[in-house]
């Protein structure tokens, strides 16, 4: 099983810095693979708890080198919930990457472990009769607190 590494997060930083310098990022220091992935940016200022600045990824398997390159920029610059990350914010950013593996269907709403499993929730919005979905990465529930 492939696991996310510090080198993958460094590559995302290198990609964002290269974007602002109108350069190509240096080659990554990790092996290629094909997996669903997410890139998350958080910003900490004045010793505060880091706050989300962008998080976008894909549930479809991608080549991880090109996937991290694409989603590093997409999550930093095109997450509609936030204004694009500016170069002056780089010193305050933290980056985490997630590689999704071993999907399984839960037996019920309590069949998961905080910090180990992520969740994909799909439902029909009763007000608009539209299918909706949400994805929660494994660290979201651990950060927010366990709810049952």
């Amino acid at each position: 099983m492939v696991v996310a590494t510090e080198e993958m997060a460094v590559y995302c930083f290198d990609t964002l810095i290269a974007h602002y310098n109108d350069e190509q990022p240096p080659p990554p220091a990790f092996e290629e693979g094909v997996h669903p992935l997410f890139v998350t940016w958080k910003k900490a200022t004045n010793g505060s708890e880091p706050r989300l600045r962008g998080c976008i990824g894909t549930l479809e398997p991608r080549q991880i080198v090109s996937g991290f390159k694409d989603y590093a920029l997409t999550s930093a610059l095109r997450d509609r919930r936030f204004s694009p990350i500016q170069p002056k914010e780089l010193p305050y950013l933290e980056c985490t990457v997630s590689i999704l593996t071993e999907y399984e269907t839960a037996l019920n709403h309590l069949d998961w472990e905080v910090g180990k499993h992520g969740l994909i929730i799909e439902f029909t919005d009763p007000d608009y009769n539209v299918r909706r979905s949400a994805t929660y990465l494994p660290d979201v529930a651990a950060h927010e607190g366990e709810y049952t």
Side-chain angles (χ1 to χ4, degrees), residues 52-84:
L52 186 64
R53 276 295 275 121
C55 180
I56 296 181
T58 178
L59 298 174
E60 295 296 320
R62 290 276 315 260
Q63 296 286 333
I64 60 174
V65 172
S66 63
F68 282 136
K69 185 176 181 180
D70 292 346
Y71 284 99
L73 296 177
T74 300
S75 60
L77 306 174
R78 291 183 283 284
D79 187 328
R80 294 181 301 190
R81 299 170 293 176
F82 305 98
S83 61

Side-chain angles (χ1 to χ4, degrees), residues 5-94:
T5 65
E6 183 177 325
E7 289 80 11
M8 293 170 181
V10 168
Y11 182 67
C12 292
F13 260 107
D14 288 345
T15 297
L16 186 57
I17 291 166
H19 166 78
Y20 286 122
N21 292 329
D22 201 25
E23 301 171 350
Q24 289 298 313
F30 55 88
E31 297 293 320
E32 184 63 270
V34 179
H35 296 281
L37 55 88
F38 280 76
V39 177
T40 302
W41 297 100
K42 291 184 179 179
K43 179 180 173 184
T45 52
N46 301 325
S48 66
E49 180 76 18
R51 298 184 59 115
L52 186 64
R53 276 295 275 121
C55 180
I56 296 181
T58 178
L59 298 174
E60 295 296 320
R62 290 276 315 260
Q63 296 286 333
I64 60 174
V65 172
S66 63
F68 282 136
K69 185 176 181 180
D70 292 346
Y71 284 99
L73 296 177
T74 300
S75 60
L77 306 174
R78 291 183 283 284
D79 187 328
R80 294 181 301 190
R81 299 170 293 176
F82 305 98
S83 61
I85 290 174
Q86 300 299 308
K88 66 183 179 185
E89 295 178 86
L90 289 170
Y92 308 102
L93 292 178
E94 296 177 4

